């Protein structure tokens, strides 16, 4: 078998359904398997997987084992030569794995491959590529010096800013939302360190792979949506775990002075507070305009009743191109993408093309009764049921 995709889930049932649907579409021409590991979700995630995706291998843990152990369990059951660690709040294009697999096969001394990640509004996520958070690099991050000198090699290493988002290149650290590698490489470093519950596990794994002499790569030729706010609530528990994670990484890999340790504790607290502030719920602004991209005129009527406003219609079978008038987006626009007719690849392309502050996006996954999406990387995401409107 070529590829095993491991998806660790915890209480994100609707995002999981969208994710697995996209992965299933992307694996049609690859000898592969999907493994969903559930960390004792209290929603109906497992029931949904059993009902809708009977060919998916489902592993149900009896309690929340955390990100590292949950993924290690999934990889232990994997049969593929390659594995992909994938977050449940992601959406891949139909050709994502074919492109990454081709790159992997033609790359010597391969470690981990990461891809271009975008948020639910189509904006590039800078954590798609990062440098090793050495004491100095951490300092430039905490003090925001990387923002002041984005072109300086001395200051821009945290987000590997020397590498363009549209450039495939060797980088040091990749994000755990999408990590593609040979299974033997994963096993060689021992997988994720289970002493770290979450938040620095991807940094640690990337770093351990580098220590084995392998090369990690940021691959820009495919984009993946990551609704990252959905799985990370910026509360007191998050702050505590974030601090523990950073302390874990430094104690494991760096020998630092007492003075620096004290500085890092202050910096971690400060950075955690900023994260918490960023993650506070924001007042949602209802869009003034709606555009449905579909081939179903019946759906226009259904959505108009749902939002209680006129929904404009673009017939994707006939036009295959989106041309937005400036006056229609000035007051705010929500684009609703019907996956029954619009491929995941086209959904992603449209979101990237129109990634502006006054445009937001929603997807209606194929054969579902809900609309899903988020407006920013700190937005926990929105799921709207539409089943009643079909009755």
């Amino acid at each position: 078998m070529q590829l095993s995709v491991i998806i660790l889930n915890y209480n994100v049932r609707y995002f999981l359904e969208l994710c697995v649907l996209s992965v299933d579409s992307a694996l049609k021409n690859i000898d592969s398997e999907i493994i969903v590991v559930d960390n004792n979700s209290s929603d109906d995630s497992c029931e949904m997987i059993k009902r809708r995706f009977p060919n998916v291998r489902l592993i149900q843990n009896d309690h929340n084992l955390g990100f590292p152990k949950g993924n290690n369990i999934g990889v232990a059951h994997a049969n593929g030569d390659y594995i992909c660690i994938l977050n449940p709040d992601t959406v891949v294009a139909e050709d994502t794995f074919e492109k990454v697999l081709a790159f992997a096969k033609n790359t010597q001394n391969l470690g981990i491959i990461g891809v271009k990640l975008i948020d639910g509004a189509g904006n590039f996520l800078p954590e798609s590529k990062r440098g090793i958070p050495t004491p100095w690099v951490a300092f430039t991050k905490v003090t925001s010096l990387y923002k002041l000198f984005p072109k300086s090699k001395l200051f821009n290493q945290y987000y590997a800013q020397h590498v363009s988002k549209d450039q495939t290149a060797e980088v040091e650290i990749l994000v755990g939302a999408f990590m593609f590698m040979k299974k033997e490489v994963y096993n060689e470093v021992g997988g994720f360190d289970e002493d770290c519950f979450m938040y620095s596990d991807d940094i640690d794994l990337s770093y351990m792979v580098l220590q084995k002499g392998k090369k990690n790569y940021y691959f820009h030729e495919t984009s993946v949506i990551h609704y990252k706010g959905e799985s990370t609530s910026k509360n007191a528990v998050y702050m505590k775990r974030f601090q523990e994670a950073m302390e874990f990484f430094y104690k494991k890999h760096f020998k630092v002075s007492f003075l620096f340790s004290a500085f890092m504790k202050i910096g971690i607290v400060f950075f955690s507070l900023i994260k918490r502030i960023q993650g506070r719920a924001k007042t949602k602004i209802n869009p003034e305009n709606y555009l449905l991209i579909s081939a179903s005129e019946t759906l226009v009527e259904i959505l108009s009743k749902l939002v209680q406003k006129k929904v404009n219609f673009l017939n994707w079978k006939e036009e295959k191109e989106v041309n937005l008038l400036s006056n229609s987006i000035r007051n705010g626009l929500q684009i609703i993408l019907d996956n029954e007719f619009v491929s995941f690849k086209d959904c992603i392309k449209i979101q990237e093309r129109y990634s502006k502050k006054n445009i937001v996006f929603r997807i209606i996954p194929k054969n579902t009764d809900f609309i899903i999406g988020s407006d920013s990387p700190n937005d926990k995401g929105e799921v709207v049921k539409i089943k009643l409107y079909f009755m």
Side-chain angles (χ1 to χ4, degrees):
M1 182 177 290
Q2 285 185 292
L3 174 63
S4 298
V5 179
I6 294 93
I7 304 169
L8 179 66
N9 176 69
Y10 181 66
N11 285 332
V12 287
R13 173 251 190 270
Y14 293 102
F15 284 87
L16 176 66
E17 183 170 359
L18 174 60
C19 175
V20 175
L21 184 62
S22 72
V23 172
D24 188 54
S25 298
L27 294 176
K28 294 297 185 186
N29 301 318
I30 300 173
D31 181 18
S32 57
E33 63 181 352
I34 303 172
I35 300 173
V36 171
V37 181
D38 186 80
N39 264 345
N40 197 31
S41 294
S42 57
D43 59 16
D44 68 335
S45 294
C46 294
E47 289 71 19
M48 179 275 296
I49 290 293
K50 292 174 185 177
R51 181 179 67 254
R52 180 154 194 197
F53 304 103
N55 293 328
V56 169
R57 183 183 300 188
L58 175 64
I59 301 171
Q60 295 178 251
N61 295 325
D62 57 10
H63 62 286
N64 189 353
L65 300 176
F67 184 89
K69 189 166 186 177
N71 277 297
N72 286 346
I73 289 172
V75 175
H77 287 82
N79 296 307
D81 294 330
Y82 291 89
I83 60 168
C84 182
I85 304 297
L86 188 69
N87 267 31
D89 53 354
T90 57
V91 180
V92 302
E94 284 80 359
D95 59 357
T96 288
F97 294 118
E98 291 179 3
K99 286 184 174 181
V100 175
L101 192 59
F103 178 78
K105 290 179 177 179
N106 290 316
T107 303
Q108 299 295 319
N109 204 27
L110 178 66
I112 305 171
I113 301 172
V115 295
K116 183 192 293 183
L117 298 174
I118 62 172
D119 65 18
N123 300 302
F124 174 70
L125 292 171
E127 62 267 25
S128 300
K129 51 182 180 61
R130 290 175 289 176
I132 299 170
T134 61
W136 169 250
V137 172
F139 176 79
T140 64
K141 167 63 177 175
V142 172
T143 58
S144 294
L145 285 170
Y146 74 97
K147 293 181 180 179
L148 298 175
F149 306 100
K151 296 183 179 180
S152 169
K153 187 176 181 180
L154 185 63
F155 298 101
N156 67 7
Q157 297 175 55
Y158 189 86
Y159 286 126
Q161 289 164 280
H162 63 289
V163 176
S164 164
K165 67 183 179 68
D166 297 317
Q167 171 190 0
T168 294
E170 186 179 340
V171 296
E172 294 169 327
I173 305 298
L174 298 163
V175 65
F178 187 108
M179 302 183 93
F180 187 104
M181 71 203 83
K182 286 186 176 180
K183 183 182 177 182
E184 63 182 32
V185 171
Y186 188 93
N187 289 335
E188 185 180 353
V189 299
F192 287 108
D193 191 326
E194 296 179 11
D195 289 334
C196 180
F197 189 80
M198 62 194 310
Y199 298 129
S200 70
D201 30 50
D202 50 2
I203 298 174
D204 181 56
L205 184 68
S206 298
Y207 188 68
M208 290 192 295
V209 168
L210 292 177
Q211 289 180 311
K212 291 292 183 180
K214 304 294 183 181
K215 295 181 179 180
N216 298 333
Y217 289 89
Y218 165 72
F219 181 71
H220 85 283
E221 293 182 29
T222 186
S223 297
V224 170
I225 300 172
H226 183 203
Y227 300 109
K228 67 174 188 172
E230 177 63 23
S231 59
T232 308
S233 178
K234 310 301 191 294
N235 53 23
V237 174
Y238 167 85
M239 290 174 64
K240 181 176 182 296
R241 288 178 178 169
F242 184 83
Q243 292 178 52
E244 291 172 348
M246 291 304 295
E247 289 172 354
F248 164 82
F249 181 74
Y250 280 100
K251 287 179 180 177
K252 180 175 179 179
H253 296 293
F254 294 96
K255 192 173 184 180
V256 296
S257 66
F258 171 80
L259 185 63
F260 179 78
S261 296
F263 164 77
M264 279 308 301
K265 285 183 180 294
I266 295 171
I268 289 168
V269 171
F270 172 77
F271 188 63
S272 299
L273 287 171
I274 295 297
K275 282 282 188 180
R276 190 179 183 187
I277 292 170
Q278 290 175 339
R280 286 177 180 169
K282 298 179 181 178
T283 302
K284 277 193 173 291
I285 300 175
N286 292 325
E288 292 295 320
N289 299 278
Y290 291 85
L291 172 65
L292 170 66
I293 301 179
S294 176
S296 171
E297 294 188 29
T298 303
L299 190 54
V300 177
E301 299 177 14
I302 294 169
L303 293 176
S304 294
K305 291 179 182 179
L306 177 64
V307 301
Q308 296 185 331
K309 288 184 180 179
K310 178 185 177 181
V311 175
N312 296 304
F313 179 60
L314 185 151
N315 192 324
W316 193 244
K317 280 188 175 180
E318 296 177 0
E319 299 188 46
K320 290 287 185 181
E321 182 62 41
V322 184
N323 292 306
L324 301 179
L325 300 176
S326 59
N327 62 344
S328 70
I329 64 176
R330 190 177 298 129
N331 297 322
L333 172 68
Q334 183 176 109
I335 297 178
I336 303 170
L337 300 152
D338 182 4
N339 178 234
E340 183 69 35
F341 303 100
V342 186
S343 69
F344 287 114
K345 184 175 182 178
D346 284 330
C347 287
I348 293 168
K349 279 184 177 180
I350 291 169
Q351 292 190 204
E352 284 189 291
R353 180 177 179 183
Y354 295 104
S355 56
K356 298 178 180 178
K357 291 182 180 179
N358 51 350
I359 300 181
V360 295
F361 304 91
R362 296 293 183 268
I363 294 175
I364 304 177
K366 184 183 298 185
N367 299 324
T368 66
D369 59 356
F370 61 89
I371 303 172
I372 193 166
S374 69
D375 299 342
S376 81
N378 299 309
D379 178 11
K380 197 174 181 180
E382 179 181 68
V383 176
V384 177
K385 297 282 284 186
I386 57 175
K387 184 175 182 180
L388 292 176
Y389 294 88
F390 285 104
M391 297 177 64

